[in-house]
Amino acid sequence: MKSSCQQVSKLVSDAHERQLTLGERLRLRMHLAICDLCRAYARDIRLLKSICGLLEKSAVDDSTCLSEADRARIREALLAAGKKDKNISP
Amino acid sequence: MVDETSGSNTAMAWLTEHGDYLFRYALMRLRDEEQARDAVQETLLAAWRANAGFRGDSSVRTWLVGILKHKITDQIRKQIRDRRLSEDMESDPTSSYFNPAGGWASPPGEWRGNPEQLARDSQFRKTLMMCISRLPDMQKEVFSLRELAGEDSETICKACHITTTNLHVIMHRARMALRACLEEHWFNEEQS
């Protein structure tokens, strides 16, 4: 049976989520062999996946910082917890 | 072993040294400054209480990020529960990308670019985050957990109360929408 691009796009995504069945793998491969558009889609999705993978491993270094107010609030929360938990004076 | 009086000092030192990093890490996954700040605070509190559990076999930062990841998943789980988020499984939003015969309505372009470069590009990251924030709620949370927080599918299904099949459908929808958004706002603009 000939697969539509719509059906194949789901397989392209599923391939990143689970082991495809043998039949699905064949259908996917046969379709990609003849369809430039789905091949482009599969490549785009792979690129998206690897970018997210790189982002996942780290908090990328940029200028975003905790504000002074945020820091102060967290510091206070730590001190309050210190007093409550262990009876330590701040 | 652990000097009790130095407890909060240690946590303060972590805040100074790793606070911004943890905040950025949380912000990218939660996309909300208030929530990200809370996650950092809870992480430092939990870390400090569990200080004796830190065996020094990983760097402090890695250890803190490990705790933060749990806090992020908790936050997202809470979001889904409190806002009663769900995904409509009946209608298929991806069908709008195809013509009635199942062919592409508008052909996907072939993106140029290398992942390392794009991941380092703060403008691109901003565009990606904008596109993620435009996803329908459930897709947004599930995609973030899966691809940005690196959670395994079992954890996500439990946190979101969905089946594995639903998870796969949601990821497919999110990828389809994200790809189209990135094409419109980044790749087409860049190449034109």
Side-chain angles (χ1 to χ4, degrees):
Chain A
M1 197 190 84
K2 198 162 166 283
S3 320
S4 71
C5 296
Q6 187 168 7
Q7 293 164 334
V8 166
S9 69
K10 174 70 161 68
L11 289 181
V12 166
S13 175
D14 279 5
H16 290 289
E17 300 299 322
R18 61 177 173 90
Q19 174 97 45
L20 299 182
T21 66
L22 183 61
E24 288 171 330
R25 280 208 299 280
L26 280 174
R27 270 201 292 148
L28 180 61
R29 215 175 293 166
M30 274 165 56
H31 185 94
L32 291 184
I34 53 159
C35 180
D36 291 348
L37 299 182
C38 285
R39 237 180 2 251
Y41 182 75
R43 248 181 247 151
D44 294 352
I45 294 303
R46 207 180 311 133
L47 184 62
L48 177 63
K49 177 93 184 168
S50 30
I51 293 166
C52 289
L54 290 167
L55 294 177
E56 193 257 307
K57 281 195 202 78
S58 65
V60 222
D61 197 29
D62 60 23
S63 49
T64 318
C65 289
L66 279 167
S67 67
E68 264 321 301
D70 284 345
R71 272 176 195 280
R73 276 171 73 181
I74 295 177
R75 217 174 283 132
E76 239 163 69
L78 290 173
L79 285 173
K83 267 200 243 172
K84 204 173 111 212
D85 282 18
K86 315 215 168 161
N87 215 15
I88 305 165
S89 56
Chain B
M1 253 321 265
V2 180
D3 178 2
E4 298 249 313
T5 52
S6 72
S8 51
N9 287 336
T10 313
M12 293 301 176
W14 291 335
L15 173 61
T16 309
E17 205 170 326
H18 307 292
D20 286 336
Y21 183 90
L22 295 173
F23 181 64
R24 275 177 218 134
Y25 191 98
L27 189 58
M28 197 170 77
R29 288 150 184 88
L30 295 166
R31 298 169 312 275
D32 178 278
E33 297 203 0
E34 188 64 27
Q35 279 187 37
R37 190 190 60 78
D38 286 350
V40 172
Q41 179 172 317
E42 279 174 34
T43 297
L44 291 173
L45 280 171
W48 167 47
R49 290 196 176 112
N51 194 9
F54 179 61
R55 294 197 307 276
D57 49 4
S58 62
S59 78
V60 173
R61 180 170 285 189
T62 310
W63 177 61
L64 290 173
V65 168
I67 300 172
L68 178 60
K69 276 186 151 192
H70 285 287
K71 300 292 172 195
I72 290 170
T73 309
D74 283 349
Q75 285 269 16
I76 293 180
R77 183 187 294 132
K78 194 168 166 297
Q79 281 284 314
I80 289 170
R81 196 188 52 216
D82 292 354
R83 296 170 55 207
R84 296 172 194 278
L85 301 184
S86 64
E87 177 87 7
D88 176 9
M89 287 295 154
E90 300 303 314
S91 66
D92 178 7
T94 65
S95 58
S96 65
Y97 296 93
F98 298 92
N99 58 38
W104 291 97
S106 83
E110 213 168 292
W111 295 350
R112 264 171 273 162
N114 112 352
E116 283 85 13
Q117 233 164 33
L118 288 166
R120 270 199 306 267
D121 186 331
S122 65
Q123 277 307 108
F124 176 80
R125 286 202 305 273
K126 231 176 250 168
T127 311
L128 176 62
M129 290 305 134
M130 182 271 287
C131 286
I132 292 177
S133 70
R134 284 187 181 183
L135 291 174
D137 286 326
M138 197 65 173
Q139 291 175 32
K140 184 163 41 188
E141 305 304 347
V142 168
F143 186 87
S144 298
L145 277 175
R146 184 89 179 101
E147 300 290 61
L148 296 176
E151 282 294 355
D152 57 81
S153 49
E154 200 185 330
T155 307
I156 299 172
C157 289
K158 264 198 210 139
C160 306
H161 299 290
I162 52 173
T163 63
T164 319
T165 310
N166 286 358
L167 171 70
H168 297 163
V169 170
I170 292 171
M171 286 303 293
H172 168 52
R173 293 176 179 181
R175 286 189 172 111
M176 183 70 69
L178 269 182
R179 203 211 64 83
C181 181
L182 283 173
E183 183 145 303
E184 181 184 350
H185 296 279
W186 183 268
F187 289 98
N188 276 355
E189 299 219 331
E190 198 195 30
Q191 284 160 23
S192 61

